[in-house]
Amino acid sequence: MSNVFNPKSEIFKNPAFGSMEEYKNLVEKFDTDYEGTWASFADEKIDWFSKYDTVLDESNAPFYKWFEGGKLNVANQCVDRHLATKSNQTAILFEADNGESEHITYGELAIRVNKTANMFKNEYGISKGDRVVIYMPMIPQAAVSMLACAKIGAIHSIVFGGFSSEALRDRIIDAQAKLVVTADGAYRKGKPYMLKPVVDKALESGCECIKNVCVVKRNNEDITWVEGRDTDYATMFENQSEEFAAEPMDSEDPLFLLYTSGSTGKPKGVQHSTAGYILWAQMTMEWVFDVKSEDTYWCTADIGWITGHTYIVYGPLAAGATTVMFEGVPTYPDAGRCWKMVEKYKINQFYTAPTAIRLLHKMGEDEPGKYDLSSLRILGTVGEPIDPPAWKWYYEEVGNSNCSIVDTYWQTETGGHMISPLPAATPIKPACATFALPGIVAEIIEADGSAVQTGEKGFLCITKPWPSMIRTIWNDDERFIKSYFGDCKKDGKPVYFSGDGAMMDEEGYITITGRTDDVINVSGHRIGTAEIEASVKKCEAIAANAVVGKPHEIKGEGIFAYVVLKDPDSISKEDLIKEINKILKADIGAIALCDDIAIVPDVPKTRSGKIMRRILRSIAKGEEITQDTSTLEDPSIVGVIENIVKG
Ligand code: WTA
């Protein structure tokens, strides 16, 4: 095998998988008894209040049900059940932007969760099934609020703090939430930034469902206060009881919603279940991160994304580890911040996105060498394909060629990892997600289910239901079926299609080749081209537009718009970009800004009026056009656009 890196077995003690042999054995076990094997993990890992009746119910596919009849509570699984043995162990290790730290033990966390659950229930009338929107910075109260919702059985919907008031408002309305939990703001790069004004603006129109806003005072900057609606977290929290009886939840009760972009229409509220989700969150923590009770584990994601849900809060706490929560950014005060934190807290697992790795590599190539990083065993990446140079730097300079890199492939919809190396077992190849985890049946196929040749690209499908899979799109069962079970079939039966392409090499290693649909992955954030185009269209001067992803050195992909002007000489390119970005910032947020545009006389359309984005994608990438252009209304437009883009 070429270019393969074997795990350094001496750095692992009792890993879940010590060899590929063990991996293959478990895959085989799932093969022969799928449900029985899942049941054995559910029995071993979950602290059931009462046991389930059935393992998997497929009678109403694709609305699969797992562990029906079982009762449990995720806050109990993550906190209370650990109290007998870990009351004094740090559960959440918070590092603020300014470097101060706070250690919250499991005992203290239990008290905070209970007091917050009492506050949500008594002060805001939140009960089982109610939706709570969390729009928070990376501070411990965010994690506590999630767990408090879980304890009550309320459904949280976290909206990433970088989203605009419009985006926040749409998500509040779609979920018909009763309460928003937020903060005045927080600190970034030594300066305060604000969140509460965004909430105020969102609530100005159409959010009648919201009865209260609960505000954590973090930076104590001036904010406006709406009497009767806004309440102060700390004051309310103070007098609550430290006891709260966990709501016994059904396995299939929703745990949370998380909105994500699709290739068409508005963002969709991905709905996750209780039992299946927490089971896989915990199992993958133990398998992929080899997390042990005494480990200090750090995932740099924001809790506003699925990675923050599963791998900052639910997974690490269910596994009983110490999870680091970081308010700041990796490049402040300098590009050595992360490595300084690894040294300071003796971090064992470090999990981040390729964008961050590329940025840290570029800004601080030699920074890792200045710190003692010998506590690290595992380095993780997630969110987008990682490029070999970034991978190599991560492996050699950060990991000192000693750590295992886990390139974890998964999605908001999958709840947890799907394809990933097992750190003490899998010989890894750079920039390769390697193999599907045991229990996950990932196949690369054509849309009709036929096999794809080795080394050829195909559609990445998960062809058997798994416990942590998306249950539906909130309030839109039809869109759920169409989005995930509408494109690919296996043996005539619809199967889950991820939206990603992938290929397998001769040794069975899977490499993810990226989205096959109209979703752009900007710095690991999913943004639908349809959403961006709808906003760009609002620009006065623009008659038509088409948006694609364009390779970007740091972000992976950047947003590139082809625009057709109503009057070609009415505005300069620079002014137009400013206009477009003003609208995008207001509609979506600063994560969705356009990097560049091309002003073109027209966009390539088929005779039926469909924009051929594939051609535009190729042009943006500077690729040769191999697509058939004969079906276009005006094939000559392709050459014209190519010349404009090439300049
Ligand atoms: C992409 C993030 C390559 C993929 C957990 C997927 C990846 C989308 C990888 C999901 C990886 C995620 N290698 N691509 N290791 N991990 N992706 O929902 O396109 O924010 O569909 O979930 O990110 O993004 P999401």
Side-chain angles (χ1 to χ4, degrees):
M1 278 196 269
S2 60
N3 213 9
V4 167
F5 299 77
N6 285 306
K8 304 283 190 305
S9 53
E10 59 279 10
I11 64 171
F12 297 98
K13 263 186 255 143
N14 299 322
F17 298 85
S19 66
M20 284 311 275
E21 184 86 42
E22 288 174 27
Y23 164 77
K24 283 177 191 145
N25 287 344
L26 186 56
V27 171
E28 226 175 86
K29 210 167 151 213
F30 270 109
D31 244 9
T32 37
D33 182 10
Y34 193 65
E35 291 183 29
T37 309
W38 277 116
S40 67
F41 284 109
D43 295 347
E44 179 196 331
K45 306 284 177 193
I46 303 253
D47 185 22
W48 296 101
F49 294 169
S50 59
K51 211 182 149 180
Y52 52 89
D53 306 314
T54 48
V55 179
L56 170 63
D57 174 1
E58 299 188 80
S59 61
N60 191 25
F63 300 94
Y64 298 102
K65 291 180 175 161
W66 283 90
F67 312 118
E68 273 244 285
K71 297 270 188 199
L72 73 162
N73 185 286
V74 164
N76 171 64
Q77 183 73 17
C78 292
V79 187
D80 305 77
R81 77 183 176 106
H82 298 313
L83 292 179
T85 52
K86 298 176 192 285
S87 191
N88 294 323
Q89 183 195 313
T90 302
I92 297 178
L93 202 175
F94 172 63
E95 171 147 318
D97 184 59
N98 68 3
E100 280 173 14
S101 48
E102 184 186 357
H103 290 251
I104 303 169
T105 62
Y106 274 93
E108 174 63 20
L109 182 61
I111 292 172
R112 292 196 198 184
V113 170
N114 287 349
K115 288 177 83 168
T116 305
N118 278 313
M119 168 171 89
F120 287 176
K121 189 175 164 206
N122 303 332
E123 310 293 340
Y124 313 118
I126 299 299
S127 54
K128 183 177 170 180
D130 285 340
R131 274 81 58 209
V132 174
V133 163
I134 298 178
Y135 187 69
M136 295 272 262
M138 286 292 291
I139 53 175
Q141 288 90 337
V144 169
S145 296
M146 293 165 76
L147 293 162
C149 286
K151 195 124 193 194
I152 298 173
I155 303 167
H156 62 69
S157 168
I158 306 188
V159 179
F160 171 59
F163 277 121
S164 70
S165 57
E166 293 263 324
L168 174 61
R169 189 197 59 193
D170 290 350
R171 286 159 176 77
I172 289 172
I173 294 174
D174 192 75
Q176 285 294 296
K178 237 174 156 173
L179 171 69
V180 179
V181 187
T182 189
D184 45 7
Y187 296 96
R188 188 188 293 132
K189 297 190 186 178
K191 295 194 190 75
Y193 72 93
M194 303 305 290
L195 288 174
K196 172 71 164 46
V198 184
V199 176
D200 290 337
K201 190 148 181 263
L203 297 187
E204 272 169 18
S205 59
C207 293
E208 287 82 21
C209 50
I210 294 292
K211 304 292 174 242
N212 287 106
V213 178
C214 173
V215 186
V216 177
K217 300 261 179 71
R218 167 74 188 142
N219 61 20
N220 292 303
E221 294 290 308
D222 281 344
I223 48 174
T224 47
W225 202 257
V226 178
E227 280 309 324
R229 185 196 76 183
D230 298 351
T231 53
D232 175 45
Y233 186 105
T235 315
M236 293 289 196
F237 179 83
E238 186 104 14
N239 296 318
Q240 303 296 336
S241 154
E242 294 183 1
E243 303 292 324
F244 189 99
E247 181 74 29
M249 301 298 286
D250 287 325
S251 294
E252 281 295 323
D253 280 334
L255 177 65
F256 65 83
L257 308 179
L258 183 58
Y259 284 81
T260 189
S261 293
S263 51
T264 55
K266 289 205 305 192
K268 39 198 181 184
V270 171
Q271 180 180 318
H272 277 290
S273 71
T274 296
Y277 172 81
I278 199 64
L279 174 64
W280 192 234
Q282 183 177 331
M283 285 170 69
T284 48
M285 269 320 289
E286 295 168 356
W287 288 3
V288 174
F289 292 122
D290 183 44
V291 91
K292 303 282 190 277
S293 205
E294 60 278 13
D295 282 345
T296 301
Y297 155 95
W298 182 19
C299 165
T300 71
D302 187 282
I303 50 140
W305 308 113
I306 190 69
T307 308
H309 285 61
T310 310
Y311 297 112
I312 294 179
V313 180
Y314 290 121
L317 296 177
T322 297
T323 183
V324 174
M325 231 179 138
F326 177 45
E327 182 186 34
V329 297
T331 50
Y332 176 82
D334 56 51
R337 179 70 181 261
C338 292
W339 321 131
K340 190 174 178 186
M341 282 176 64
V342 168
E343 179 180 273
K344 181 171 166 193
Y345 301 123
K346 300 196 170 39
I347 285 166
N348 308 106
Q349 298 90 352
F350 178 75
Y351 191 29
T352 195
T355 296
I357 299 168
R358 287 191 291 264
L359 187 70
L360 293 173
H361 180 195
K362 194 168 171 203
M363 290 182 61
E365 193 167 359
D366 302 323
E367 287 293 325
K370 298 180 186 165
Y371 299 90
D372 176 6
L373 307 181
S374 60
S375 56
L376 288 170
R377 296 201 302 279
I378 295 162
L379 299 171
T381 94
V382 59
E384 39 171 333
I386 182 168
D387 41 295
W391 193 96
K392 190 165 174 278
W393 178 76
Y394 202 33
Y395 185 79
E396 290 174 356
E397 301 305 320
V398 180
N400 197 21
S401 303
N402 206 30
C403 297
S404 293
I405 292 193
V406 289
D407 181 347
T408 61
Y409 167 81
W410 60 297
Q411 310 178 291
T412 303
E413 293 86 346
T414 68
H417 302 147
M418 293 286 103
I419 302 175
S420 171
L422 293 161
T426 314
I428 47 179
K429 297 186 182 183
C432 174
T434 71
F435 305 105
L437 292 172
I440 302 302
V441 186
E443 295 186 65
I444 302 168
I445 53 177
E446 302 286 3
D448 62 5
S450 55
V452 167
Q453 299 286 312
T454 302
E456 297 281 321
K457 270 194 211 176
F459 296 117
L460 178 59
C461 294
I462 317 282
T463 54
K464 261 178 184 290
W466 67 103
S468 69
M469 70 193 294
I470 174 176
R471 291 307 192 263
T472 188
I473 291 171
W474 181 252
N475 265 336
D476 205 342
D477 287 348
E478 218 167 290
R479 189 170 175 203
F480 165 70
I481 297 175
K482 201 161 161 255
S483 303
Y484 304 107
F485 293 87
D487 293 315
C488 295
K489 286 195 166 129
K490 178 89 198 287
D491 304 326
K493 236 177 76 182
V495 288
Y496 177 88
F497 170 47
S498 60
D500 286 302
M503 56 190 186
M504 195 181 267
D505 70 11
E506 321 73 60
E507 285 143 353
Y509 281 71
I510 298 172
T511 297
I512 311 298
T513 55
R515 303 288 308 191
T516 62
D517 54 7
D518 291 321
V519 170
I520 309 181
N521 197 330
V522 184
S523 299
H525 304 147
R526 274 164 70 171
I527 306 175
T529 52
E531 277 172 81
I532 303 170
E533 286 169 7
S535 292
V536 173
K537 216 159 106 190
K538 290 185 188 168
C539 188
E540 224 13 74
I542 290 176
N545 79 95
V547 166
V548 298
K550 182 180 174 178
H552 184 283
E553 197 193 348
I554 300 290
K555 299 185 202 176
E557 265 188 311
I559 297 173
F560 187 81
Y562 295 88
V563 299
V564 182
L565 293 178
K566 287 179 189 158
D567 171 0
D569 299 317
S570 60
I571 186 165
S572 72
K573 184 174 162 182
E574 286 65 38
D575 287 344
L576 193 57
I577 294 181
K578 277 190 203 142
E579 276 287 303
I580 290 172
N581 280 342
K582 213 168 106 192
I583 298 171
L584 285 172
K585 196 167 176 198
D587 277 3
I588 305 175
I591 54 167
L593 300 188
C594 209
D595 288 300
D596 198 5
I597 62 170
I599 300 176
V600 293
D602 203 354
V603 286
K605 286 192 212 103
T606 59
R607 284 188 198 95
S608 58
K610 198 171 164 294
I611 296 175
M612 291 283 279
R613 278 196 198 72
R614 263 184 304 132
I615 292 179
L616 294 173
R617 246 183 263 154
S618 299
I619 297 176
K621 283 185 187 160
E623 288 171 358
E624 210 180 306
I625 308 295
T626 53
Q627 293 96 341
D628 175 18
T629 55
S630 64
T631 57
L632 292 178
E633 196 181 50
D634 170 15
S636 73
I637 192 73
V638 176
V640 174
I641 298 176
E642 266 187 305
N643 284 335
I644 293 173
V645 172
K646 279 186 195 143

